[in-house]
Amino acid sequence: MIGRWRIAKATLGLVTVILLLCLVAGCRSRGDVVERRFVLVGLDGLEWSAVEPLLEEGRLPNLEALMNRGVWCRLRSLEPKRKSPVIWTTMSTGKLPDKHGISDYVDPMTKKLFTSNVRTARTFWDILGERGLTVTVIGWLVSWPAEEVNGYMVTDYFRYPPKPDRPLPENLTYPDELLAEIELLRIVDRDIPDSEVERFFDLADAMSGEEAQRLPVEKMFREMRAISEFEGQIERFKDFFAADRTFMAVAQHIIRKHPTDISVVYLRGTDSVSHMFWAAGWPDAVGVEVAETDARVFGETVERYYVYADEMLGELVAEFGDDTTIMVCSDHGFEGPRSPNERGGIKDHGPLGVFVLAGPGVRSVGEIEETSVRDITPTILELFGLPIGVDMDGVVMMDAFEDDYLSAHPVRQIPTYEISEEE
Ligand SMILES: [Zn+2]
């Protein structure tokens, strides 16, 4: 008896030592989480009506391969229409804005930009990180100041600071030391030579000043103005192109040097290009008068940028093995302005975004029923076999999973993941 007690005591002591060591080393239990590598690629504003013809022409081979391998659907955005930071925060928390606290770009009460420390709901990367999964989050909207994560975070301000002409703020990355590693990867518009963006425009088709002068007066003015605005438009294009290039380079650097279980990469270019050039591509559909020269030069710019986004997707997927789970999503679609007065706001955002998911345990049946941006976080939790919070506003996309997977990992619930004040 005494011998057994001694062994039990010794074991207890050992367990205590291990637990203490774990605490010191900051290691956390992975418990019964499903082991998988997971990549989420967020493409802001990606719209099905532009994607579909390109798929038919075989111009989005990387997206197509994922769609064929897994499931895809129309992803309903928030209603009424909300701005991108609000929607992406719903996607990362599974909660509506009244619960997550990010209601716009700027807080109407404080007149300050919304920042990550104002968010009142936990993100999926925080929940998964707490369970021992390592995470990388790059460029996500409203992620500044960088939060402590179980891995790496590069905030949106790394390349989209609120005051581009001023020195960059602190807390751009977590850990702080990561900044020195990636700083040189940040590029801006003037780093992009014309030759790199030529493929997006048909500059040779621009109307000449002489040609414009032969037009009736009203038309002539419109064309002359369009011609004079080229340079500025191309500079603005280069700015978001350089931002996407920056976040891609950062993603590739971290994926190669510090691989984690989960990688999240947000790219904004697909949205920016649509705000600028949607009308030039589809003037009839959006009912605006577009200068002839804009239609000639920028008529295919959105489509060509989609092709480029597909190349970026392919480059990211190529970093991982075939058994990696890949999710692609957009926060809303695009419709283009209905009248010239509506330009610039969010009236040109469409109600349905893109969702694609492929990987182990995911069905390969193509299109499934429409889901919602609210369902992203619950579905990611199910991918890792974790319960969803009853206080979340979304549900698990059941259609996306194989029956065997669901029997092995039935959807479970807990009241909440939020940490109460007392803890
Ligand atoms: Zn957006």
Side-chain angles (χ1 to χ4, degrees):
M1 266 317 261
I2 290 170
R4 209 189 281 170
W5 172 236
R6 278 216 186 107
I7 294 167
K9 244 173 96 180
T11 315
L12 201 66
L14 193 65
V15 169
T16 313
V17 169
I18 291 171
L19 277 176
L20 278 172
L21 279 175
C22 266
L23 276 176
V24 171
C27 79
R28 301 156 200 202
S29 159
R30 290 174 81 112
D32 54 356
V33 294
V34 173
E35 297 282 338
R36 65 166 83 229
R37 261 194 119 181
F38 173 68
V39 183
L40 168 58
V41 182
L43 296 172
D44 203 304
L46 200 71
E47 157 67 33
W48 277 117
S49 67
V51 165
E52 278 160 350
L54 291 169
L55 283 171
E56 270 166 41
E57 292 164 26
R59 290 168 71 192
L60 305 176
N62 297 296
L63 190 70
E64 189 178 0
L66 292 175
M67 290 167 70
N68 289 338
R69 196 148 72 74
V71 294
W72 57 271
C73 65
R74 285 158 218 285
L75 188 67
R76 187 155 291 276
S77 193
L78 292 177
E79 285 165 338
K81 287 179 188 178
R82 302 300 292 264
K83 291 181 186 154
S84 293
V86 186
I87 313 169
W88 287 101
T89 308
T90 288
M91 291 161 105
S92 65
T93 60
K95 296 188 175 177
L96 291 172
D98 60 328
K99 286 183 197 162
H100 69 54
I102 308 297
S103 61
D104 205 326
Y105 278 99
V106 175
D107 185 338
M109 305 292 283
T110 64
K111 310 286 177 216
K112 285 184 181 162
L113 283 167
F114 273 113
T115 47
S116 64
N117 43 17
V118 176
R119 192 179 54 232
T120 51
R122 288 179 76 196
T123 55
F124 68 81
W125 56 75
D126 190 32
I127 294 168
L128 295 169
E130 189 186 58
R131 272 146 193 84
L133 294 152
T134 51
V135 300
T136 298
V137 181
I138 296 168
W140 199 270
L141 285 179
V142 209
S143 58
W144 185 88
E147 302 154 72
E148 184 182 338
V149 290
N150 188 23
Y152 306 90
M153 172 164 290
V154 179
T155 60
D156 47 346
Y157 285 12
F158 177 71
R159 183 49 185 75
Y160 284 115
K163 294 178 180 132
D165 47 338
R166 305 269 282 277
L168 287 166
E170 306 256 288
N171 304 115
L172 291 175
T173 64
Y174 179 87
D176 274 334
E177 307 86 80
L178 179 62
L179 185 61
E181 270 183 49
I182 60 170
E183 212 153 18
L184 290 176
L185 301 175
R186 186 197 294 114
I187 54 170
V188 296
D189 49 1
R190 56 182 177 277
D191 299 320
I192 306 286
D194 287 342
S195 57
E196 275 188 46
V197 296
E198 270 167 7
R199 61 180 280 202
F200 297 101
F201 319 117
D202 290 309
L203 278 170
D205 297 346
M207 200 178 279
S208 68
E210 278 167 34
E211 195 183 345
Q213 274 166 10
R214 287 197 292 270
L215 294 167
V217 174
E218 196 190 323
K219 280 197 170 165
M220 180 192 76
F221 279 125
R222 186 189 302 147
E223 298 304 327
M224 293 300 269
R225 183 168 355 107
I227 293 166
S228 73
E229 283 172 357
F230 273 177
E231 219 166 300
Q233 280 175 296
I234 291 172
E235 288 312 303
R236 281 165 63 204
F237 178 94
K238 280 183 177 179
D239 180 59
F240 63 75
F241 176 73
D244 277 359
R245 287 269 308 272
T246 296
F247 284 121
M248 275 297 291
V250 168
Q252 285 166 325
H253 172 86
I254 298 178
I255 290 164
R256 289 170 195 172
K257 282 207 109 175
H258 313 285
T260 52
D261 300 310
I262 294 156
S263 302
V264 177
V265 184
Y266 164 89
L267 299 166
R268 189 190 291 184
T270 38
D271 183 77
S272 310
V273 78
S274 304
H275 281 292
M276 281 188 76
F277 300 116
W278 198 270
W282 296 278
D284 298 339
V286 301
V288 279
E289 287 250 40
V290 169
E292 164 78 26
T293 196
D294 275 341
R296 289 191 201 170
V297 176
F298 301 119
E300 286 183 26
T301 301
V302 173
E303 287 163 301
R304 292 179 196 174
Y305 206 85
Y306 272 43
V307 170
Y308 177 64
D310 187 72
E311 289 167 16
M312 291 193 284
L313 175 63
E315 281 175 46
L316 284 173
V317 171
E319 298 286 338
F320 299 92
D322 288 343
D323 55 346
T324 303
T325 304
I326 317 271
M327 184 185 279
V328 180
C329 57
S330 63
D331 55 335
H332 54 78
F334 236 84
E335 296 178 316
R338 295 234 171 269
S339 77
N341 307 336
E342 289 181 359
R343 282 196 94 148
I346 57 164
K347 294 197 176 71
D348 40 8
H349 284 181
L352 296 168
V354 169
F355 177 83
V356 182
L357 176 65
V362 176
R363 295 162 78 202
S364 55
V365 292
E367 187 171 11
I368 57 170
E369 289 259 331
E370 181 183 306
T371 59
S372 158
V373 290
R374 293 177 291 177
D375 305 334
I376 297 287
T377 283
T379 301
I380 292 173
L381 292 176
E382 174 61 16
L383 281 169
F384 287 94
L386 291 176
I388 68 164
V390 173
D391 58 345
M392 288 177 180
D393 294 302
V395 294
V396 173
M397 301 178 190
M398 302 292 278
D399 278 2
F401 293 91
E402 284 170 356
D403 291 343
D404 286 355
Y405 183 87
L406 287 174
S407 353
H409 309 284
V411 174
R412 292 177 294 141
Q413 291 185 325
I414 56 167
T416 184
Y417 279 99
E418 304 305 331
I419 301 157
S420 67
E421 295 285 313
E422 301 92 83
E423 274 175 63

